[in-house]
Short mmCIF file of all heavy atoms in Angstrom, two decimals:
data_model
loop_
_atom_site.label_atom_id
_atom_site.label_comp_id
_atom_site.label_asym_id
_atom_site.label_seq_id
_atom_site.Cartn_x
_atom_site.Cartn_y
_atom_site.Cartn_z
N MET A 1 15.19 64.42 40.84
CA MET A 1 14.25 63.73 41.71
C MET A 1 13.32 64.74 42.36
O MET A 1 13.82 65.76 42.87
CB MET A 1 15.08 63.01 42.78
CG MET A 1 14.32 61.85 43.40
SD MET A 1 15.28 60.94 44.65
CE MET A 1 16.29 59.92 43.67
N SER A 2 12.02 64.56 42.39
CA SER A 2 11.11 65.49 42.95
C SER A 2 10.73 65.05 44.32
O SER A 2 10.60 63.87 44.58
CB SER A 2 9.91 65.73 42.04
OG SER A 2 9.18 64.50 42.02
N ALA A 3 10.47 66.04 45.19
CA ALA A 3 9.96 65.68 46.52
C ALA A 3 8.51 65.87 46.60
O ALA A 3 7.98 66.89 46.14
CB ALA A 3 10.66 66.56 47.55
N GLU A 4 7.78 64.96 47.16
CA GLU A 4 6.36 65.10 47.36
C GLU A 4 6.05 65.18 48.82
O GLU A 4 6.87 64.70 49.66
CB GLU A 4 5.66 63.90 46.80
CG GLU A 4 5.79 63.71 45.33
CD GLU A 4 5.00 62.48 44.85
OE1 GLU A 4 4.43 61.73 45.65
OE2 GLU A 4 5.01 62.23 43.64
N SER A 5 4.91 65.76 49.21
CA SER A 5 4.61 65.83 50.58
C SER A 5 4.30 64.41 51.11
O SER A 5 3.99 63.49 50.37
CB SER A 5 3.34 66.69 50.79
OG SER A 5 2.18 65.98 50.28
N GLN A 6 4.44 64.23 52.43
CA GLN A 6 4.33 62.95 52.97
C GLN A 6 2.92 62.30 52.79
O GLN A 6 2.82 61.13 52.49
CB GLN A 6 4.60 63.00 54.49
CG GLN A 6 4.26 61.79 55.27
CD GLN A 6 4.99 60.56 54.76
OE1 GLN A 6 6.09 60.63 54.31
NE2 GLN A 6 4.28 59.41 54.74
N ASP A 7 1.93 63.12 52.87
CA ASP A 7 0.58 62.56 52.74
C ASP A 7 0.23 62.18 51.35
O ASP A 7 -0.57 61.27 51.10
CB ASP A 7 -0.43 63.57 53.24
CG ASP A 7 -0.29 63.90 54.67
OD1 ASP A 7 0.17 62.97 55.45
OD2 ASP A 7 -0.63 64.99 55.17
N GLU A 8 0.79 62.79 50.35
CA GLU A 8 0.49 62.54 48.90
C GLU A 8 0.93 61.14 48.57
O GLU A 8 2.08 60.80 48.47
CB GLU A 8 1.21 63.54 48.00
CG GLU A 8 0.65 63.66 46.69
CD GLU A 8 1.29 64.84 45.97
OE1 GLU A 8 1.48 65.90 46.59
OE2 GLU A 8 1.57 64.61 44.76
N GLY A 9 -0.08 60.31 48.19
CA GLY A 9 0.22 58.90 47.76
C GLY A 9 0.69 58.01 48.89
O GLY A 9 1.19 56.93 48.55
N ALA A 10 0.51 58.32 50.14
CA ALA A 10 1.02 57.49 51.22
C ALA A 10 0.38 56.13 51.26
O ALA A 10 1.02 55.19 51.51
CB ALA A 10 0.85 58.19 52.57
N GLU A 11 -0.91 56.08 50.94
CA GLU A 11 -1.63 54.84 50.97
C GLU A 11 -1.10 53.86 49.94
O GLU A 11 -0.89 52.68 50.21
CB GLU A 11 -3.12 55.00 50.80
CG GLU A 11 -3.84 55.91 51.81
CD GLU A 11 -3.68 57.38 51.46
OE1 GLU A 11 -3.51 57.73 50.29
OE2 GLU A 11 -3.70 58.14 52.42
N GLU A 12 -0.80 54.35 48.72
CA GLU A 12 -0.38 53.53 47.66
C GLU A 12 1.03 52.91 47.96
O GLU A 12 1.29 51.75 47.74
CB GLU A 12 -0.21 54.36 46.35
CG GLU A 12 0.37 53.56 45.17
CD GLU A 12 0.40 54.42 43.96
OE1 GLU A 12 -0.48 55.21 43.70
OE2 GLU A 12 1.45 54.20 43.30
N ALA A 13 1.90 53.71 48.53
CA ALA A 13 3.28 53.21 48.81
C ALA A 13 3.39 52.46 50.15
O ALA A 13 4.35 51.83 50.47
CB ALA A 13 4.30 54.39 48.83
N GLY A 14 2.35 52.57 50.96
CA GLY A 14 2.38 51.93 52.27
C GLY A 14 3.32 52.57 53.26
O GLY A 14 3.80 51.92 54.18
N GLU A 15 3.62 53.81 53.13
CA GLU A 15 4.51 54.54 54.00
C GLU A 15 3.63 55.33 55.05
O GLU A 15 2.71 56.02 54.72
CB GLU A 15 5.38 55.51 53.24
CG GLU A 15 6.21 54.88 52.21
CD GLU A 15 7.37 54.04 52.74
OE1 GLU A 15 7.67 54.16 53.98
OE2 GLU A 15 7.93 53.22 52.03
N SER A 16 4.09 55.23 56.28
CA SER A 16 3.39 55.96 57.37
C SER A 16 3.90 57.34 57.65
O SER A 16 3.23 58.12 58.19
CB SER A 16 3.45 55.11 58.66
OG SER A 16 4.75 55.11 59.14
N GLY A 17 5.16 57.55 57.19
CA GLY A 17 5.78 58.87 57.47
C GLY A 17 6.40 58.92 58.81
O GLY A 17 7.06 59.92 59.08
N GLU A 18 6.24 57.94 59.66
CA GLU A 18 6.88 57.98 60.95
C GLU A 18 8.26 57.30 60.90
O GLU A 18 8.46 56.32 60.17
CB GLU A 18 6.01 57.21 61.91
CG GLU A 18 4.65 57.83 62.13
CD GLU A 18 3.80 56.98 63.05
OE1 GLU A 18 4.25 56.07 63.65
OE2 GLU A 18 2.56 57.27 63.10
N VAL A 19 9.20 57.84 61.63
CA VAL A 19 10.50 57.24 61.74
C VAL A 19 10.40 56.04 62.55
O VAL A 19 9.90 56.05 63.67
CB VAL A 19 11.52 58.28 62.33
CG1 VAL A 19 12.90 57.59 62.47
CG2 VAL A 19 11.64 59.50 61.51
N GLU A 20 10.87 54.91 61.98
CA GLU A 20 10.81 53.64 62.69
C GLU A 20 12.19 53.44 63.36
O GLU A 20 13.20 53.63 62.82
CB GLU A 20 10.52 52.52 61.68
CG GLU A 20 9.21 52.61 61.07
CD GLU A 20 8.95 51.49 60.02
OE1 GLU A 20 9.54 50.37 60.21
OE2 GLU A 20 8.21 51.74 59.14
N GLU A 21 12.08 52.83 64.57
CA GLU A 21 13.32 52.42 65.25
C GLU A 21 13.56 50.98 65.03
O GLU A 21 12.80 50.13 65.45
CB GLU A 21 13.14 52.67 66.77
CG GLU A 21 14.40 52.42 67.58
CD GLU A 21 15.50 53.45 67.27
OE1 GLU A 21 15.21 54.58 66.96
OE2 GLU A 21 16.68 53.04 67.42
N ALA A 22 14.52 50.65 64.15
CA ALA A 22 14.91 49.28 63.87
C ALA A 22 15.68 48.71 65.05
O ALA A 22 16.12 49.43 65.97
CB ALA A 22 15.68 49.21 62.61
N GLU A 23 15.86 47.41 65.02
CA GLU A 23 16.67 46.73 66.11
C GLU A 23 18.04 47.33 66.25
O GLU A 23 18.53 47.48 67.37
CB GLU A 23 16.80 45.30 65.78
CG GLU A 23 15.58 44.45 66.03
CD GLU A 23 15.74 42.98 65.76
OE1 GLU A 23 16.87 42.52 65.88
OE2 GLU A 23 14.78 42.31 65.42
N ASP A 24 18.66 47.73 65.17
CA ASP A 24 20.01 48.23 65.24
C ASP A 24 20.13 49.72 64.88
O ASP A 24 21.15 50.15 64.41
CB ASP A 24 20.94 47.35 64.35
CG ASP A 24 20.39 47.21 62.95
OD1 ASP A 24 19.16 47.22 62.75
OD2 ASP A 24 21.21 47.07 62.04
N GLY A 25 18.97 50.48 65.02
CA GLY A 25 19.12 51.86 64.78
C GLY A 25 17.92 52.50 64.09
O GLY A 25 16.88 51.80 63.90
N THR A 26 17.91 53.78 63.79
CA THR A 26 16.84 54.47 63.16
C THR A 26 16.78 54.19 61.64
O THR A 26 17.81 54.26 61.06
CB THR A 26 16.99 55.99 63.47
OG1 THR A 26 16.96 56.24 64.82
CG2 THR A 26 15.83 56.78 62.79
N LEU A 27 15.60 53.96 61.10
CA LEU A 27 15.47 53.81 59.73
C LEU A 27 15.63 55.12 59.00
O LEU A 27 14.77 56.04 59.19
CB LEU A 27 14.10 53.15 59.40
CG LEU A 27 13.73 52.81 58.03
CD1 LEU A 27 14.76 51.78 57.45
CD2 LEU A 27 12.38 52.23 57.88
N VAL A 28 16.65 55.31 58.27
CA VAL A 28 16.96 56.58 57.63
C VAL A 28 16.26 56.69 56.26
O VAL A 28 15.68 57.71 55.98
CB VAL A 28 18.47 56.80 57.54
CG1 VAL A 28 18.81 58.14 56.92
CG2 VAL A 28 19.08 56.72 58.95
N TYR A 29 16.42 55.77 55.39
CA TYR A 29 15.82 55.70 54.08
C TYR A 29 15.30 54.35 53.77
O TYR A 29 15.74 53.32 54.16
CB TYR A 29 16.93 56.00 52.97
CG TYR A 29 17.39 57.39 52.96
CD1 TYR A 29 18.64 57.70 53.52
CD2 TYR A 29 16.69 58.45 52.43
CE1 TYR A 29 19.14 58.98 53.52
CE2 TYR A 29 17.18 59.74 52.40
CZ TYR A 29 18.39 60.00 53.00
OH TYR A 29 18.93 61.32 52.94
N THR A 30 14.17 54.39 52.97
CA THR A 30 13.67 53.14 52.40
C THR A 30 13.56 53.45 50.94
O THR A 30 13.29 54.61 50.51
CB THR A 30 12.29 52.72 53.02
OG1 THR A 30 11.35 53.71 52.75
CG2 THR A 30 12.42 52.36 54.44
N ALA A 31 13.59 52.40 50.14
CA ALA A 31 13.46 52.55 48.67
C ALA A 31 12.59 51.49 48.10
O ALA A 31 12.68 50.30 48.49
CB ALA A 31 14.81 52.57 47.98
N GLN A 32 11.82 51.83 47.08
CA GLN A 32 10.99 50.92 46.35
C GLN A 32 11.14 51.19 44.90
O GLN A 32 11.11 52.34 44.47
CB GLN A 32 9.49 50.99 46.70
CG GLN A 32 9.18 50.60 48.10
CD GLN A 32 7.67 50.79 48.34
OE1 GLN A 32 6.94 51.39 47.65
NE2 GLN A 32 7.17 50.20 49.38
N LEU A 33 11.33 50.14 44.08
CA LEU A 33 11.39 50.30 42.64
C LEU A 33 10.22 49.52 42.10
O LEU A 33 10.05 48.33 42.26
CB LEU A 33 12.67 49.72 42.07
CG LEU A 33 12.90 49.84 40.60
CD1 LEU A 33 12.89 51.31 40.15
CD2 LEU A 33 14.18 49.13 40.21
N ARG A 34 9.31 50.26 41.41
CA ARG A 34 8.10 49.59 40.88
C ARG A 34 8.10 49.71 39.35
O ARG A 34 8.59 50.65 38.78
CB ARG A 34 6.84 50.39 41.39
CG ARG A 34 6.71 50.27 42.91
CD ARG A 34 5.49 51.05 43.36
NE ARG A 34 5.39 51.00 44.81
CZ ARG A 34 4.38 50.44 45.44
NH1 ARG A 34 3.44 49.82 44.78
NH2 ARG A 34 4.38 50.44 46.73
N CYS A 35 7.48 48.72 38.77
CA CYS A 35 7.30 48.62 37.32
C CYS A 35 5.85 48.57 37.05
O CYS A 35 5.07 47.69 37.58
CB CYS A 35 7.99 47.41 36.78
SG CYS A 35 7.83 47.27 34.96
N LYS A 36 5.32 49.43 36.21
CA LYS A 36 3.95 49.41 35.78
C LYS A 36 3.91 49.85 34.32
O LYS A 36 4.47 50.82 33.88
CB LYS A 36 3.10 50.40 36.63
CG LYS A 36 1.66 50.34 36.27
CD LYS A 36 0.77 51.27 37.16
CE LYS A 36 -0.65 51.11 36.79
NZ LYS A 36 -1.49 51.97 37.65
N ASP A 37 3.27 49.00 33.53
CA ASP A 37 3.20 49.23 32.04
C ASP A 37 4.54 49.45 31.41
O ASP A 37 4.67 50.24 30.56
CB ASP A 37 2.31 50.38 31.79
CG ASP A 37 0.90 50.17 32.34
OD1 ASP A 37 0.38 49.00 32.33
OD2 ASP A 37 0.23 51.19 32.72
N GLY A 38 5.56 48.70 31.90
CA GLY A 38 6.93 48.80 31.33
C GLY A 38 7.68 50.02 31.78
O GLY A 38 8.84 50.24 31.25
N ARG A 39 7.17 50.83 32.68
CA ARG A 39 7.85 52.00 33.14
C ARG A 39 8.26 51.81 34.60
O ARG A 39 7.46 51.29 35.38
CB ARG A 39 6.88 53.22 33.05
CG ARG A 39 6.60 53.61 31.63
CD ARG A 39 5.74 54.81 31.56
NE ARG A 39 5.48 55.11 30.18
CZ ARG A 39 4.60 56.02 29.78
NH1 ARG A 39 4.04 56.79 30.59
NH2 ARG A 39 4.40 56.23 28.50
N TYR A 40 9.43 52.28 34.95
CA TYR A 40 10.01 52.06 36.28
C TYR A 40 9.92 53.39 37.05
O TYR A 40 10.24 54.46 36.46
CB TYR A 40 11.43 51.60 36.26
CG TYR A 40 11.53 50.24 35.60
CD1 TYR A 40 11.80 50.08 34.24
CD2 TYR A 40 11.40 49.08 36.39
CE1 TYR A 40 11.86 48.79 33.65
CE2 TYR A 40 11.47 47.80 35.83
CZ TYR A 40 11.76 47.69 34.45
OH TYR A 40 11.82 46.42 33.89
N VAL A 41 9.55 53.33 38.32
CA VAL A 41 9.51 54.47 39.17
C VAL A 41 10.21 54.11 40.47
O VAL A 41 9.87 53.14 41.10
CB VAL A 41 8.09 54.94 39.45
CG1 VAL A 41 8.03 56.08 40.45
CG2 VAL A 41 7.44 55.34 38.15
N LEU A 42 11.14 54.95 40.90
CA LEU A 42 11.83 54.78 42.15
C LEU A 42 11.28 55.74 43.18
O LEU A 42 11.11 56.91 42.92
CB LEU A 42 13.40 55.09 42.04
CG LEU A 42 14.20 54.99 43.27
CD1 LEU A 42 14.21 53.57 43.84
CD2 LEU A 42 15.58 55.52 43.01
N THR A 43 10.87 55.16 44.32
CA THR A 43 10.38 55.98 45.44
C THR A 43 11.31 55.75 46.62
O THR A 43 11.55 54.67 47.05
CB THR A 43 8.95 55.54 45.89
OG1 THR A 43 8.07 55.65 44.73
CG2 THR A 43 8.42 56.39 46.96
N VAL A 44 11.90 56.88 47.10
CA VAL A 44 12.79 56.87 48.26
C VAL A 44 12.16 57.64 49.35
O VAL A 44 11.77 58.87 49.16
CB VAL A 44 14.23 57.46 47.89
CG1 VAL A 44 15.07 57.46 49.16
CG2 VAL A 44 14.83 56.66 46.78
N MET A 45 11.94 57.05 50.50
CA MET A 45 11.36 57.73 51.63
C MET A 45 12.51 58.11 52.61
O MET A 45 13.26 57.29 53.03
CB MET A 45 10.35 56.78 52.37
CG MET A 45 9.65 57.40 53.47
SD MET A 45 8.61 58.71 52.92
CE MET A 45 8.23 59.48 54.52
N ASP A 46 12.60 59.40 52.93
CA ASP A 46 13.48 59.89 53.89
C ASP A 46 12.83 59.78 55.23
O ASP A 46 11.89 60.55 55.56
CB ASP A 46 13.89 61.33 53.58
CG ASP A 46 14.88 61.95 54.50
OD1 ASP A 46 14.91 61.52 55.69
OD2 ASP A 46 15.55 62.89 54.13
N GLY A 47 13.22 58.82 56.04
CA GLY A 47 12.55 58.49 57.29
C GLY A 47 12.80 59.55 58.38
O GLY A 47 12.05 59.72 59.33
N VAL A 48 13.84 60.31 58.26
CA VAL A 48 14.20 61.31 59.23
C VAL A 48 13.39 62.61 59.01
O VAL A 48 12.87 63.16 59.92
CB VAL A 48 15.74 61.62 59.21
CG1 VAL A 48 16.11 62.77 60.16
CG2 VAL A 48 16.56 60.40 59.52
N ARG A 49 13.29 63.00 57.69
CA ARG A 49 12.60 64.31 57.41
C ARG A 49 11.17 64.09 57.04
O ARG A 49 10.44 65.02 56.87
CB ARG A 49 13.38 64.97 56.30
CG ARG A 49 14.74 65.43 56.71
CD ARG A 49 15.52 66.04 55.56
NE ARG A 49 16.87 66.31 55.94
CZ ARG A 49 17.91 65.41 55.89
NH1 ARG A 49 17.65 64.14 55.42
NH2 ARG A 49 19.12 65.70 56.23
N GLY A 50 10.79 62.79 56.72
CA GLY A 50 9.41 62.49 56.34
C GLY A 50 9.13 62.95 54.95
O GLY A 50 7.97 63.39 54.62
N ILE A 51 10.14 62.98 54.04
CA ILE A 51 9.95 63.48 52.67
C ILE A 51 10.05 62.26 51.76
O ILE A 51 10.93 61.41 51.88
CB ILE A 51 11.02 64.51 52.37
CG1 ILE A 51 10.91 65.72 53.24
CG2 ILE A 51 10.88 64.85 50.87
CD1 ILE A 51 12.02 66.69 53.07
N ARG A 52 9.15 62.21 50.81
CA ARG A 52 9.25 61.14 49.78
C ARG A 52 9.77 61.75 48.51
O ARG A 52 9.31 62.78 48.05
CB ARG A 52 7.75 60.64 49.53
CG ARG A 52 7.71 59.58 48.39
CD ARG A 52 6.26 59.33 47.99
NE ARG A 52 5.31 59.32 49.08
CZ ARG A 52 4.96 58.24 49.73
NH1 ARG A 52 5.42 57.11 49.44
NH2 ARG A 52 4.04 58.29 50.79
N HIS A 53 10.74 61.07 47.93
CA HIS A 53 11.29 61.44 46.63
C HIS A 53 10.86 60.40 45.56
O HIS A 53 10.99 59.22 45.86
CB HIS A 53 12.81 61.47 46.69
CG HIS A 53 13.34 62.45 47.78
ND1 HIS A 53 13.55 63.79 47.51
CD2 HIS A 53 13.68 62.22 49.01
CE1 HIS A 53 13.96 64.34 48.66
NE2 HIS A 53 14.13 63.42 49.56
N VAL A 54 10.41 60.87 44.46
CA VAL A 54 9.95 60.01 43.39
C VAL A 54 10.62 60.40 42.10
O VAL A 54 10.73 61.61 41.78
CB VAL A 54 8.38 60.09 43.19
CG1 VAL A 54 7.94 59.18 42.10
CG2 VAL A 54 7.72 59.76 44.52
N ALA A 55 11.13 59.37 41.35
CA ALA A 55 11.82 59.70 40.13
C ALA A 55 11.61 58.56 39.14
O ALA A 55 11.65 57.39 39.54
CB ALA A 55 13.33 59.86 40.35
N PRO A 56 11.36 58.84 37.86
CA PRO A 56 11.31 57.81 36.86
C PRO A 56 12.77 57.25 36.69
O PRO A 56 13.71 57.98 36.80
CB PRO A 56 10.85 58.57 35.61
CG PRO A 56 11.15 59.94 35.83
CD PRO A 56 11.15 60.17 37.34
N VAL A 57 12.81 55.98 36.37
CA VAL A 57 14.07 55.30 36.16
C VAL A 57 14.09 54.58 34.83
O VAL A 57 13.11 53.90 34.57
CB VAL A 57 14.39 54.34 37.30
CG1 VAL A 57 15.72 53.65 37.15
CG2 VAL A 57 14.36 55.06 38.69
N SER A 58 15.15 54.71 34.07
CA SER A 58 15.16 54.05 32.77
C SER A 58 15.46 52.55 32.95
O SER A 58 16.05 52.14 33.98
CB SER A 58 16.28 54.63 31.89
OG SER A 58 17.55 54.29 32.43
N LYS A 59 15.01 51.73 31.97
CA LYS A 59 15.29 50.31 32.04
C LYS A 59 16.79 50.08 32.09
O LYS A 59 17.25 49.14 32.79
CB LYS A 59 14.67 49.62 30.84
CG LYS A 59 14.96 48.10 30.88
CD LYS A 59 14.10 47.36 29.96
CE LYS A 59 14.36 45.84 29.91
NZ LYS A 59 15.33 45.25 30.78
N LYS A 60 17.57 50.90 31.38
CA LYS A 60 19.02 50.74 31.37
C LYS A 60 19.60 50.86 32.84
O LYS A 60 20.43 50.11 33.23
CB LYS A 60 19.61 51.77 30.49
CG LYS A 60 21.10 51.65 30.32
CD LYS A 60 21.59 52.67 29.33
CE LYS A 60 23.04 52.64 29.06
NZ LYS A 60 23.53 53.65 28.08
N ALA A 61 19.05 51.87 33.60
CA ALA A 61 19.50 52.06 34.99
C ALA A 61 19.05 50.82 35.81
O ALA A 61 19.81 50.43 36.67
CB ALA A 61 19.00 53.33 35.54
N VAL A 62 17.88 50.34 35.60
CA VAL A 62 17.38 49.21 36.37
C VAL A 62 18.21 47.99 36.12
O VAL A 62 18.64 47.24 37.01
CB VAL A 62 15.87 48.91 36.04
CG1 VAL A 62 15.45 47.61 36.66
CG2 VAL A 62 14.90 50.04 36.45
N ASP A 63 18.57 47.81 34.84
CA ASP A 63 19.46 46.68 34.48
C ASP A 63 20.79 46.77 35.15
O ASP A 63 21.44 45.76 35.40
CB ASP A 63 19.64 46.59 33.02
CG ASP A 63 18.33 46.15 32.26
OD1 ASP A 63 17.37 45.63 32.96
OD2 ASP A 63 18.26 46.37 31.04
N LYS A 64 21.31 47.98 35.44
CA LYS A 64 22.64 48.20 36.08
C LYS A 64 22.51 48.18 37.62
O LYS A 64 23.55 48.35 38.25
CB LYS A 64 23.22 49.50 35.61
CG LYS A 64 23.69 49.50 34.19
CD LYS A 64 24.33 50.79 33.77
CE LYS A 64 24.84 50.77 32.33
NZ LYS A 64 25.50 52.01 31.93
N LEU A 65 21.35 48.05 38.15
CA LEU A 65 21.18 48.16 39.59
C LEU A 65 22.12 47.14 40.33
O LEU A 65 22.68 47.57 41.31
CB LEU A 65 19.69 47.88 39.96
CG LEU A 65 19.32 48.14 41.41
CD1 LEU A 65 19.68 49.57 41.84
CD2 LEU A 65 17.89 47.87 41.66
N PRO A 66 22.30 45.93 39.93
CA PRO A 66 23.20 45.04 40.59
C PRO A 66 24.62 45.59 40.64
O PRO A 66 25.33 45.45 41.66
CB PRO A 66 23.19 43.72 39.85
CG PRO A 66 21.83 43.69 39.18
CD PRO A 66 21.56 45.18 38.83
N VAL A 67 25.06 46.24 39.58
CA VAL A 67 26.39 46.87 39.57
C VAL A 67 26.42 47.95 40.60
O VAL A 67 27.41 48.09 41.33
CB VAL A 67 26.69 47.42 38.15
CG1 VAL A 67 28.01 48.17 38.17
CG2 VAL A 67 26.66 46.24 37.13
N TYR A 68 25.37 48.81 40.66
CA TYR A 68 25.32 49.94 41.66
C TYR A 68 25.44 49.36 43.06
O TYR A 68 26.14 49.90 43.95
CB TYR A 68 24.09 50.79 41.51
CG TYR A 68 23.97 51.47 40.20
CD1 TYR A 68 22.69 51.71 39.65
CD2 TYR A 68 25.03 51.96 39.47
CE1 TYR A 68 22.52 52.35 38.38
CE2 TYR A 68 24.89 52.60 38.27
CZ TYR A 68 23.65 52.82 37.72
OH TYR A 68 23.48 53.46 36.52
N LEU A 69 24.66 48.29 43.29
CA LEU A 69 24.70 47.70 44.67
C LEU A 69 26.07 47.08 45.02
O LEU A 69 26.52 47.29 46.16
CB LEU A 69 23.61 46.64 44.74
CG LEU A 69 22.15 47.10 44.68
CD1 LEU A 69 21.20 45.94 44.60
CD2 LEU A 69 21.87 48.01 45.87
N ASP A 70 26.73 46.48 44.02
CA ASP A 70 28.05 46.03 44.30
C ASP A 70 29.05 47.17 44.60
O ASP A 70 29.92 46.99 45.46
CB ASP A 70 28.58 45.19 43.05
CG ASP A 70 28.00 43.83 42.99
OD1 ASP A 70 27.38 43.34 44.01
OD2 ASP A 70 28.07 43.25 41.87
N MET A 71 28.86 48.29 43.91
CA MET A 71 29.70 49.44 44.22
C MET A 71 29.52 49.92 45.64
O MET A 71 30.46 50.26 46.28
CB MET A 71 29.43 50.57 43.15
CG MET A 71 29.95 50.25 41.84
SD MET A 71 29.67 51.49 40.49
CE MET A 71 28.89 52.88 41.25
N LEU A 72 28.26 49.93 46.11
CA LEU A 72 27.95 50.35 47.40
C LEU A 72 28.59 49.45 48.46
O LEU A 72 29.15 49.84 49.49
CB LEU A 72 26.44 50.50 47.70
CG LEU A 72 25.76 51.61 47.03
CD1 LEU A 72 24.22 51.41 47.16
CD2 LEU A 72 26.20 52.95 47.69
N LYS A 73 28.45 48.13 48.16
CA LYS A 73 29.13 47.14 49.07
C LYS A 73 30.64 47.29 49.08
O LYS A 73 31.19 47.13 50.13
CB LYS A 73 28.80 45.70 48.59
CG LYS A 73 27.35 45.33 48.75
CD LYS A 73 27.17 43.90 48.18
CE LYS A 73 25.68 43.57 48.08
NZ LYS A 73 25.52 42.25 47.44
N GLY A 74 31.23 47.64 47.99
CA GLY A 74 32.64 47.87 47.96
C GLY A 74 33.13 49.08 48.70
O GLY A 74 34.34 49.21 48.99
N THR A 75 32.29 50.08 48.95
CA THR A 75 32.63 51.26 49.66
C THR A 75 32.59 51.14 51.20
O THR A 75 33.01 52.05 51.90
CB THR A 75 31.80 52.46 49.23
OG1 THR A 75 30.44 52.18 49.59
CG2 THR A 75 31.91 52.75 47.79
N ARG A 76 32.06 49.97 51.61
CA ARG A 76 31.98 49.79 53.09
C ARG A 76 33.29 49.56 53.68
O ARG A 76 34.17 48.88 53.04
CB ARG A 76 31.10 48.66 53.47
CG ARG A 76 29.64 48.87 53.10
CD ARG A 76 28.77 47.73 53.62
NE ARG A 76 29.31 46.44 53.16
CZ ARG A 76 28.62 45.31 53.39
NH1 ARG A 76 27.49 45.34 54.03
NH2 ARG A 76 29.09 44.20 52.95
N SER A 77 33.61 50.13 54.84
CA SER A 77 34.90 49.93 55.54
C SER A 77 34.74 49.19 56.75
O SER A 77 33.76 49.04 57.37
CB SER A 77 35.60 51.26 55.78
OG SER A 77 34.91 52.40 55.72
#
């Protein structure tokens, strides 16, 4: 995963770079998965450090996303 500067592409992703205070705490990470021309790109914004991480994602990984989410739900205590 590569890190880009906060300003680079901020308009496209709609990220302000500011840490938002949610009702129940500080927004630590946000993620967007976009598809363009059959290619998937994951953008994760680190709200604490103001760093954007961008990585291409295979269709196979996108198809497994529900499994990954279920695994995350299963790790909650």
Side-chain angles (χ1 to χ4, degrees):
M1 203 179 278
S2 65
E4 295 180 359
S5 71
Q6 171 54 38
D7 295 333
E8 195 172 320
E11 301 82 27
E12 179 181 319
E15 300 289 345
S16 67
E18 298 175 10
V19 176
E20 296 178 27
E21 185 69 29
E23 286 182 25
D24 50 331
T26 300
L27 184 58
V28 179
Y29 291 101
T30 60
Q32 294 180 343
L33 180 62
R34 296 178 184 247
C35 179
K36 184 175 181 181
D37 299 327
R39 295 181 181 174
Y40 296 93
V41 176
L42 176 66
T43 302
V44 177
M45 183 65 194
D46 181 332
V48 175
R49 295 175 188 87
I51 299 171
R52 176 192 322 268
H53 302 275
V54 178
V57 179
S58 69
K59 178 165 178 5
K60 185 176 179 179
V62 171
D63 291 342
K64 290 184 178 181
L65 190 57
V67 174
Y68 298 147
L69 293 173
D70 285 343
M71 288 179 3
L72 286 171
K73 290 178 191 175
T75 61
R76 294 189 304 188
S77 14

